[in-house]
Amino acid sequence: MSTVAAYPGAGWPLRRGAPEAVGLSSALPSALEHLLADAVRPARPGGRATATGAVCAVARHGLLVADLASGAAQTHDGRVALERPRPLSLSTRFDVASVTKLVASTAATICLVDRGELRLSDEVGTLLPAIAAEARDPRFAGITVAELLSHRAGLAAWEPTYLHAEDPDGALSRVADVPLVDAPGRRRRYSDLSMMLLGAVIAAVAQEPLDTAVHRLVLRPLGLSETGYGPVGHAAATSLGNPYERRMIATGEPHAVEGDPDAFAGWRGYTLVGEVNDGNAHHAFGGVAGHAGLFSTAADLVRCGQAMLLGVQGRDTPLASSTVVRRFLAPDSGPVLGAWEGRLESVLGAGSRGLGHAGFTGCELLIDPERALVVALVTNRQHPGEPYPSIAPLWHRVLHTVIDGLR
């Protein structure tokens, strides 16, 4: 039973219920609880756990059937271990990094398109004329909203704009000055710069700051009360400063950029708690950007995913009409907009779909229309410091456990 129609009461808002009520094993919460507990314990004495804290939420057919937390929100302050680790709860907020692209920027764009205030064919030159006028490449002005969403704008993957700018306007000017790496529309290349620009587009069209627009268009209508841009309280610790980005600049790996990390005086040398990890979001955008900056809980991510899932399945929600949601996430032709496909390939093999997004800080969101599933995992894998473990093995085990539990 994988359709909403099989469960007449399943819709909006998301409700809590037993897994067996929607065709999942009654043992699912217990199995997930064991997975999370194992993930926050070192595999061997002196080893490193996947994360100090992890929360997982699962919904199917409109029922939240699992919402589980394990571990600690914070174990260290800098390099010093806390005498008492700070406890983790289901309401602890995590820096969800690039999941911001889907939950904030894509969702807000869906709303604006649904309201007729924005078109996917609108161009950067019309929407952001001052920024487009500064572009090094004349093709920049012709980049469309659809190309930003699908990462087909030809923009570079990453750029430390904070080495060249101290505010959003300066950062966006720097984005415009970075040479295009491809012709717009030609191929899909993941790009933070695309979503930085999309954040500016949302603010310009909504005629209000990006965080205000996201709250009005997405968070408030969907009841995402634990989600928002930072700084926030009751948050899990992330990294000790940002040594990863500093090393990216110094080595040119994986992206060659201009700039000397030693010439930048703003590097943070403390444990980040409720303050966005991403350097561009923090230093250049004041914590509020289209590509990163959002803090959330696993349950709130699932609520947003549920609204998108219902839209894909043909049902209107407070987010937008199903027609517009499907145009983004289940298009009849062309690429999916604002999300990534193939999120189930690691579990079910090549060609498997599943929509969603990952976040560098250790977060994952899956929307599976075929099975009416939404799954979220949030961790603080970067805490207390480097090296940062991969959450991929844990995420794969979570997905296997959920899908294997289908009856």
Side-chain angles (χ1 to χ4, degrees):
M1 294 188 296
S2 61
T3 64
V4 174
Y7 299 88
W12 189 261
L14 194 67
R15 298 175 293 117
R16 292 183 180 271
E20 55 268 31
V22 286
L24 285 163
S25 169
S26 61
L28 176 63
S30 176
L32 292 174
E33 190 173 29
H34 284 299
L35 284 180
L36 297 184
D38 287 344
V40 300
R41 287 195 298 259
R44 60 188 182 280
R48 178 76 182 266
T50 299
T52 63
V55 184
C56 180
V58 179
R60 190 176 192 224
H61 293 301
L63 287 187
L64 183 65
V65 299
D67 191 12
L68 306 158
S70 188
Q74 184 175 0
T75 60
H76 289 67
D77 184 6
R79 301 187 188 281
V80 179
L82 299 178
E83 186 174 331
R84 293 182 179 179
R86 193 157 54 84
L88 180 70
S89 73
L90 296 177
S91 60
T92 300
R93 288 184 271 192
F94 286 75
D95 178 347
V96 299
S98 286
V99 178
T100 301
K101 294 177 172 73
L102 178 58
V103 173
S105 298
T106 298
T109 305
I110 287 173
C111 292
L112 292 173
V113 171
D114 187 57
R115 295 170 181 223
E117 298 175 29
L118 182 65
R119 296 173 300 178
L120 292 171
S121 59
D122 286 344
E123 298 179 347
V124 169
T126 301
L127 299 166
L128 303 172
I131 300 301
E134 301 181 37
R136 180 183 302 193
D137 192 314
R139 295 175 296 179
F140 184 93
I143 292 171
T144 67
V145 171
E147 288 166 345
L148 293 177
L149 283 159
S150 63
H151 296 272
R152 283 178 162 83
L155 294 164
W158 182 74
E159 166 73 15
T161 63
Y162 50 87
L163 298 187
H164 312 276
E166 298 180 350
D167 57 35
D169 288 343
L172 292 169
S173 295
R174 177 63 185 175
V175 169
D177 191 54
V178 175
L180 297 183
V181 296
D182 215 338
R186 183 179 178 187
R187 70 181 69 180
R188 187 165 189 149
R189 293 175 181 266
Y190 186 75
S191 171
D192 273 8
L193 274 58
S194 285
M195 287 297 181
M196 291 179 198
L197 283 175
L198 186 63
V201 166
I202 293 165
V205 173
Q207 299 183 2
E208 58 190 349
L210 177 60
D211 54 346
T212 304
V214 169
H215 185 268
R216 175 175 63 85
L217 296 168
V218 181
L219 306 184
R220 187 171 62 202
L222 296 186
L224 307 185
S225 59
E226 301 293 341
T227 303
Y229 284 97
V232 300
H234 195 50
T238 52
S239 61
L240 174 55
N242 205 325
Y244 190 89
E245 284 192 20
R246 184 168 187 161
R247 190 165 55 252
M248 285 172 65
I249 299 167
T251 63
E253 295 292 337
H255 310 293
V257 296
E258 296 179 7
D260 178 5
D262 295 330
F264 180 63
W267 295 114
R268 294 169 285 179
Y270 52 87
T271 296
L272 309 182
V273 181
E275 179 181 299
V276 63
N277 168 264
D278 182 271
N280 280 310
H282 175 72
H283 297 295
F285 287 92
V288 180
H291 71 292
L294 211 63
F295 287 77
S296 189
T297 63
D300 262 12
L301 293 183
V302 165
R303 289 185 182 96
C304 184
Q306 174 69 10
M308 292 180 172
L309 171 66
L310 290 176
V312 170
Q313 293 175 323
R315 302 181 68 176
D316 298 342
T317 72
L319 180 65
S321 67
S322 63
T323 301
V324 172
V325 174
R326 287 186 59 81
R327 188 177 176 190
F328 277 67
L329 302 180
D332 294 327
S333 60
V336 165
L337 303 176
W340 290 87
E341 293 183 282
R343 303 299 295 164
L344 283 171
E345 288 191 348
S346 62
V347 177
L348 301 177
S352 302
R353 292 195 69 230
L355 304 163
H357 219 292
F360 181 77
T361 48
C363 306
E364 288 276 3
L365 174 61
L366 167 75
I367 303 164
D368 179 12
E370 182 178 343
R371 296 164 189 82
L373 277 170
V374 185
V375 184
L377 174 68
V378 292
T379 77
N380 56 354
R381 75 173 184 106
Q382 293 179 275
H383 183 61
E386 294 188 298
Y388 303 147
S390 170
I391 70 162
L394 172 61
W395 178 235
H396 296 167
R397 287 194 291 270
V398 166
L399 294 181
H400 269 297
T401 300
V402 173
I403 291 173
D404 289 349
L406 291 171
R407 298 184 301 178

